[in-house]
């Protein structure tokens, strides 16, 4: 069964002139970062999410956000790209995959060697910070160290604005440039492969549908059924790393 579906996926990749890969939290579970919706991964769900408006309005909400970040960061910082990330990076290097649209905030595709120009991060990145007013980048470690010492909140060295991890929080507007790039990439693709996403978070999950409606073949690789399985041309319910590493491509 697996053999058959990986042969089919290999054939679709060989035939494609423009493949887009779309990844969700399942992409990084083999790197030790729990996803949201697999059973028993309460790390993300122990606490109610802090809405962006609350973060802006309340000093206490910002402090709580940083307390949680410090609690979760050791898992993120220790994570390394897994064999699935490496297989996708090889497809990018070989010119088979044009873009990676990701919902992940862990930066592991870039760490596996995918250039920034090929990446579209829909939900931002938690490995660094930005000023919400002027966009200046701030490094994470000094901010976390200062906060751990006396709970001092970070402000921008340029404009004194509020500094936050470069992620898109609940209630925060989606990043405009990334949304445009993701739409363009989806429309240009003739093969769209969704990997490790339950496809329930919108607007992100709209891109596989957009690509499919525009004529692309849709492949879903996920351990469990997803919301869009019925729309897909090929569904593979299996582990990501082993599946991607068993692809047989002449052009690689
Ligand atoms: P999700 O948790 O809703 O779905 C993940 C899916 O991946 C699940 O259906 C699960 O069955 C599958 N899965 C997990 N490990 C797998 C494996 N090794 N092989 C095959 N399938 C596997 O994730 P989502 O759709 O990305 O939505 C969650 C949201 O949470 C996203 O918006 C994302 O920004 C955020 N998030 C990010 C990270 C990260 O950056 N690594 C981690 C957790 C959550
Ligand atoms: Zn600033």
């Amino acid at each position: 069964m697996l053999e058959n579906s990986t042969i089919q996926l290999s054939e679709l990749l060989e035939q494609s002139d423009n493949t887009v890969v779309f990844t969700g939290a399942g992409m990084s579970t083999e790197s030790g970062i729990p996803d949201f919706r697999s059973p028993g991964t309460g790390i993300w769900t122990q606490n109610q999410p802090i809405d962006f408006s609350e973060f802006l309005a309340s000093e206490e909400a910002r402090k709580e956000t940083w307390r949680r970040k410090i609690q979760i960061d050791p898992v993120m910082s220790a994570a390394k790209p897994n064999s699935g990330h490496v297989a996708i990076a090889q497809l990018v290097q070989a010119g088979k995959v044009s873009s990676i649209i990701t919902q992940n905030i862990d930066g592991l595709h870039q760490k596996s060697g995918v250039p920034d120009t090929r990446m579209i991060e829909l939900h931002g990145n938690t490995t660094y910070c930005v000023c919400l007013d002027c966009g200046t980048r701030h490094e994470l470690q000094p901010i976390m160290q200062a906060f751990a010492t006396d709970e001092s909140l970070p402000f921008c060295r340029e404009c004194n604005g509020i500094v936050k991890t470069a992620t898109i929080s609940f209630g925060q507007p989606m990043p405009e440039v990334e949304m445009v790039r993701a739409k363009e990439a989806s429309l240009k693709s003739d093969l769209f492969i969704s990997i490790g996403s339950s496809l329930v978070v919108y607007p992100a999950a709209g891109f596989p549908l957009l690509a499919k409606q525009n004529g692309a073949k849709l492949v879903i690789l996920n351990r469990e059924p997803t919301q869009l399985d019925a729309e897909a041309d090929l569904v593979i319910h299996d582990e990501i790393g082993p599946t991607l590493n068993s692809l047989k491509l002449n052009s690689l």
Side-chain angles (χ1 to χ4, degrees):
M1 176 63 190
L2 171 64
E3 177 104 344
N4 193 19
S5 28
T6 46
I7 290 169
Q8 283 180 61
L9 179 52
S10 304
E11 282 170 2
L12 287 170
L13 274 161
E14 292 285 15
Q15 288 156 10
S16 164
D17 291 323
N18 189 331
T19 299
V20 165
V21 164
F22 173 92
T23 61
M27 184 76 231
S28 299
T29 57
E30 290 168 34
S31 295
I33 304 175
D35 62 15
F36 258 158
R37 290 176 182 80
S38 287
T41 54
I43 184 165
W44 300 95
T45 45
Q46 282 158 1
N47 304 301
Q48 279 290 98
I50 295 168
D51 194 83
F52 187 56
S53 56
E54 212 184 323
F55 179 90
L56 292 181
S58 147
E59 199 175 290
E60 179 47 33
R62 293 205 286 284
K63 286 191 174 173
E64 180 57 17
T65 303
W66 284 106
R67 283 181 208 120
R68 291 182 190 181
K69 174 65 185 160
I70 285 172
Q71 196 193 344
I72 225 164
D73 192 67
V75 177
M76 282 281 178
S77 310
K80 296 194 172 54
N82 62 55
S83 67
H85 289 106
V86 173
I88 294 172
Q90 283 168 352
L91 289 170
V92 173
Q93 274 146 23
K96 293 300 305 173
V97 167
S98 60
S99 320
I100 300 174
I101 304 173
T102 190
Q103 300 178 84
N104 294 343
I105 55 174
D106 53 35
L108 289 180
H109 285 297
Q110 292 91 319
K111 272 198 195 166
S112 73
V114 176
D116 283 339
T117 50
R118 300 274 168 205
M119 288 303 307
I120 304 171
E121 290 179 315
L122 293 177
H123 296 164
N125 189 308
T126 193
T127 65
Y128 62 93
C129 305
V130 284
C131 168
L132 293 176
D133 288 340
C134 73
T136 297
R137 178 181 165 132
H138 293 251
E139 296 314 313
L140 183 60
Q141 290 308 324
I143 289 176
M144 288 201 304
Q145 272 161 22
F147 185 85
T149 311
D150 57 3
E151 295 218 324
S152 57
L153 286 167
F155 290 97
C156 178
R157 60 179 174 272
E158 300 294 336
C159 76
N160 213 32
I162 292 176
V163 172
K164 177 183 171 294
T165 55
T167 46
I168 305 299
S169 301
F170 289 97
Q172 191 169 355
M174 292 294 285
E176 280 173 33
V177 172
E178 282 74 9
M179 288 297 284
V180 170
R181 287 181 64 211
K183 185 176 174 188
E184 280 174 1
S186 304
L187 290 175
K188 275 191 201 153
S189 70
D190 60 17
L191 176 62
F192 192 104
I193 310 176
S194 173
I195 301 176
S197 173
S198 56
L199 297 174
V200 298
V201 179
Y202 280 81
F207 293 113
L209 214 47
L210 181 68
K212 172 71 187 166
Q213 284 162 353
N214 197 48
K217 291 253 181 351
L218 175 61
V219 177
I220 294 178
L221 167 56
N222 202 63
R223 184 192 284 152
E224 291 167 294
T226 78
Q227 295 278 317
L228 295 182
D229 283 5
E231 309 293 328
D233 297 276
L234 174 64
V235 177
I236 306 176
H237 288 159
D238 215 310
E239 296 301 303
I240 295 164
T243 304
L244 294 180
N245 280 283
S246 57
L247 293 174
K248 303 259 179 301
L249 294 182
N250 297 327
S251 45
L252 278 185

